[in-house]
Structures are given as C-alpha cells and as structure tokens.
Amino acid sequence: MRPLQSTVSRFACRIVCDRTPPYTARVYAAGFDCSRNIFLGEKAAKWRTFDGQMDGLTTNGVLLMQPARGSKPAVWREISVCGNVFTLRDTTSPQDRGKQVKDESPVLLDGSLIDLCGVTLLWRSVEGLSRSPTAGHLEALRLRLNAARPQCPVLLSTLAFPSLDGPRPRRPWVYLTCGHVHGYHQWQGRGIAYKQQSSAETEKRETEREGGRDRGEREIERETESGGEKEEQMEGIEAIKGGREEKTVKRGREAGRDRGERGGETERSTEEEAEAVRGERECPLCRSRGPYVPLTLGRVSDVYVDAESPSHAFVPCGHVCSERTAEHWSKTPLKRGTNIFHPACPFCLGQLKRDRPYVRLIFQGPLD
C-alpha cells in the first residue's frame, strides 16, 4: 500500500538537464510524491507569484553556492520549487522567505555546491573533470614524491607516503606552524614547555612491557617441562638431544622476550603517536611550537581544481593536496548545523583553522 503523501520533499531536489547542447543543468527544490505532484510539508513556506503560479521552499531548504568569479565572493543562496533564487532565511522564522536575487539563476556550473540539510553535493562538468587528476594520476604523484626521497632531519631516515593498503612505518609528519616535514620521533622540545610523562604512565608502560616478557618466559617454561618429560622417557639418546634441547630452549626464550618487547614497543608507539597528535611539539629546525600531525595524501580526485603536485597540507587535519586546491577550499564555507558556515577540509570535512587554514610543506632532501 502506497502512502498518500511523502516527506521526501523536505530533503529532495530536482536536477533537470537540457537534451540539446550545451546541456545546461538546473536545480530545483522539492520532489514529486506518489501522485506525480510536487509536495511540500504543512510548515513549508508557500506563496503565489505575480503570474499566478504557486512557488515555495522546502522545510529544510535546498541551498546552492556558485563558485567565486573574479572579485565576487561565493555565497549561499536558497532555491525555490520554481527555480527562483533567494537569500537565506532567518532561522527564527522559517516560514518567511528571504529576498529574491533576480540577477542569479539556478544553473549549475563546474564547482557548484548543493546543500540538502547538511549533505553537500559537488557538481563537476566534463571540462572541469578534464583538468582534475584521476586516481591513476594521484598514484603517480605519490610515487614521484617518494622518488624524491624526502629525509627526516632528526632520524636521518627516508620518508614515504604509503599506499592505501600498504604499511606506514615511514609515514611523514609535519609541524603545522612552520610546515617542516619529519618522520615520527619522540623529541618534544627543550625546557619546561613540553608535557612530560607522569610517573604513573611510565610505570604502567613498564608493567605492560614486563608482562609481555613474563608471557614469553612462561611459554619457554612450558617448553622446558615438556622437554624434560621427553628426556626421562628417552634416556638412551640423552647426550645427543641434550645440546639440541638447550639450544631450542635458549632460542625460545629469546623469541619470547622479543615478542614481548615488540608488543610493548608497538603499544607504546601507538600511544605516543596519539599523544603527539593531541598535544604540541617544538620543531627541531626553527623552534616554533604547534600541532604535530601525520600527513595523509588526499585521494578524492574530484575535489582537486588542478593536477599539480601535492605541496600543501590542511590545518589541522594534515591532508595533502595542491596549492590551488588548498586555497580554493579554504575560501569555501560549508554548512554545519542549522545556520553555521565555515571552511572545511574536502577529504574529511574537518573544520579548518581560521587564521591559517593550510600550510606549505617544507621537505628535506637526501644527504647524498
């Protein structure tokens, strides 16, 4: 049994494309119900136009932001059922529409953003996608960055951006205040400015490390006991197997200790990296203090505005992209909440820092 009415119009929009060149696309608010009629909720704003037609706005609103052109900044507008453009409504009176902007249209351009109650859609044209990198091009840029062999100036080790499913032992980290790229290291700074580990945390980590060693030694003891039972049953070849069992026990004890130490080191490394992201560090090169985060190469090719090499990172998430892409999204406010707009990273939608939304990466070349 089909419902008589539908609530899809609260979030829906219609995108209508011309069937003849240049195949212009336009966006309209609301959708059709089961009776193939435009349906608006009871609390939605509705009115009659001068030519006698009915127009209205959806309950949650369909917002459109055209890309900035020249000196004209990009602003959010609301689109009506008939495709008219209005300024944003006041949140205190949702049934009142904003002022109509007659010199703007609902035509979608390359880079237009459509907001459906917090869900943001990015419209790209064929010409725009031809200027953006593909997934294969992004992989080639990653390999080019790794081929340059960037070095960690503290550990003097070669850094590399990992693949999607590859290990990350040499992952680059960056000081977001200055942009100097390092590998992960435990050097926090000098003086009393950095946060020292408490004795309780140190004792806990040492206990976990000793616990790993104890597990390894208990495994060796079980191996030794089983070996002793076999010696009692096979006294005739005791001299031959005595040396072998001793070597086996020794290797097993060493392996157990190595497993315990590796387990403790892995756990400590994970905790230290998480603590490094939460706190601040002092850059060993320029002595500036600020967030210290790992770098992640942005993999969503559709949000790139050009195909240049990744050279900048968003602050504070650490996603890496080209300079023009970072500049574009740092000036693009995205909707968060009912009536809050702020620039956000296009890869993780994390809010960018207002005074410095991105930073240029400074890599150290190889010593040879």
Side-chain angles (χ1 to χ4, degrees):
M1 181 178 180
R2 295 186 303 176
L4 297 178
Q5 292 181 344
S6 173
T7 58
V8 69
S9 62
R10 298 181 183 178
F11 308 95
C13 70
R14 293 164 289 136
I15 297 179
V16 181
C17 300
D18 294 341
R19 296 180 179 270
T20 57
Y23 306 106
T24 303
R26 296 176 177 84
V27 61
Y28 300 89
F32 294 94
D33 60 7
C34 57
S35 302
R36 299 180 181 181
N37 295 320
I38 293 292
F39 173 76
L40 296 176
E42 296 180 358
K43 297 182 179 180
K46 313 178 191 67
W47 66 91
R48 188 177 297 277
T49 61
F50 293 103
D51 54 0
Q53 294 184 353
M54 290 297 299
D55 200 357
L57 304 173
T58 59
T59 305
N60 296 320
V62 175
L63 307 186
L64 174 66
M65 186 175 70
Q66 303 287 16
R69 301 294 181 184
S71 59
K72 185 178 181 180
V75 293
W76 285 98
R77 304 296 192 190
E78 186 168 7
I79 306 301
S80 69
V81 174
C82 296
N84 296 315
V85 182
F86 296 86
T87 59
L88 299 185
R89 285 178 283 179
D90 187 0
T91 56
T92 60
S93 56
Q95 292 186 345
D96 296 334
R97 64 182 185 270
K99 297 181 179 180
Q100 185 174 359
V101 184
K102 297 184 178 181
D103 59 343
E104 297 184 12
S105 67
V107 175
L108 296 177
L109 306 175
D110 181 57
S112 297
L113 294 176
I114 305 172
D115 181 86
L116 304 176
C117 194
V119 178
T120 304
L121 309 178
L122 173 62
W123 180 267
R124 297 304 307 269
S125 63
V126 176
E127 294 78 11
L129 290 176
S130 63
R131 297 188 296 267
S132 300
T134 61
H137 190 192
L138 289 178
E139 179 66 14
L141 292 176
R142 183 187 72 86
L143 296 177
R144 184 188 303 175
L145 288 175
N146 294 341
R149 299 176 58 197
Q151 302 288 314
C152 174
V154 174
L155 302 178
L156 300 181
S157 59
T158 303
L159 307 176
F161 284 92
S163 58
L164 290 176
D165 54 353
R168 302 184 176 184
R170 300 180 298 164
R171 185 180 185 180
W173 286 59
V174 65
Y175 290 90
L176 294 178
T177 303
C178 57
H180 286 116
V181 179
H182 295 248
Y184 177 74
H185 54 78
Q186 299 179 359
W187 193 85
Q188 298 186 15
R190 55 181 178 174
I192 60 176
Y194 64 89
K195 178 181 178 182
Q196 296 180 347
Q197 296 177 355
S198 63
S199 58
E201 294 175 348
T202 305
E203 183 179 356
K204 179 180 178 182
R205 292 180 179 177
E206 291 298 331
T207 303
E208 293 173 350
R209 181 176 180 180
E210 293 297 331
R213 290 182 176 179
D214 293 340
R215 288 193 297 270
E217 292 177 356
R218 286 196 295 270
E219 293 177 3
I220 303 310
E221 291 176 0
R222 288 195 295 269
E223 293 180 6
T224 305
E225 293 175 358
S226 63
E229 294 176 358
K230 291 181 180 179
E231 286 181 1
E232 294 176 358
Q233 297 175 359
M234 305 178 64
E235 294 180 356
I237 55 174
E238 180 180 358
I240 299 176
K241 288 193 174 181
R244 296 180 180 178
E245 290 176 359
E246 183 178 355
K247 294 180 180 179
T248 303
V249 171
K250 184 177 180 180
R251 288 196 299 268
R253 182 178 289 108
E254 293 176 353
R257 289 180 178 176
D258 291 341
R259 286 195 297 269
E261 292 177 358
R262 286 196 299 268
E265 291 174 358
T266 302
E267 188 172 355
R268 288 198 309 274
S269 177
T270 304
E271 293 178 356
E272 290 169 357
E273 291 185 4
E275 182 68 21
V277 173
R278 289 193 296 268
E280 289 188 350
R281 293 285 190 93
E282 181 181 300
C283 177
L285 298 181
C286 63
R287 303 299 186 182
S288 61
R289 295 193 61 83
Y292 179 57
V293 300
L295 291 176
T296 303
L297 187 63
R299 296 283 185 169
V300 184
S301 59
D302 293 341
V303 303
Y304 281 80
V305 298
D306 60 3
E308 296 298 324
S309 177
S311 58
H312 289 66
F314 287 110
V315 180
C317 61
H319 280 98
V320 183
C321 62
S322 64
E323 180 179 7
R324 286 187 57 193
T325 301
E327 181 181 4
H328 171 77
W329 289 104
S330 66
K331 298 179 180 179
T332 304
L334 299 182
K335 186 179 179 181
R336 182 65 59 88
T338 56
N339 199 25
I340 301 176
F341 300 87
H342 57 71
C345 172
F347 305 104
C348 65
L349 295 182
Q351 182 175 353
L352 300 180
K353 197 173 180 180
R354 291 187 178 274
D355 56 343
R356 194 177 189 184
Y358 61 91
V359 62
R360 184 177 69 89
L361 300 178
I362 304 176
F363 292 93
Q364 305 298 318
L367 298 179
D368 55 353

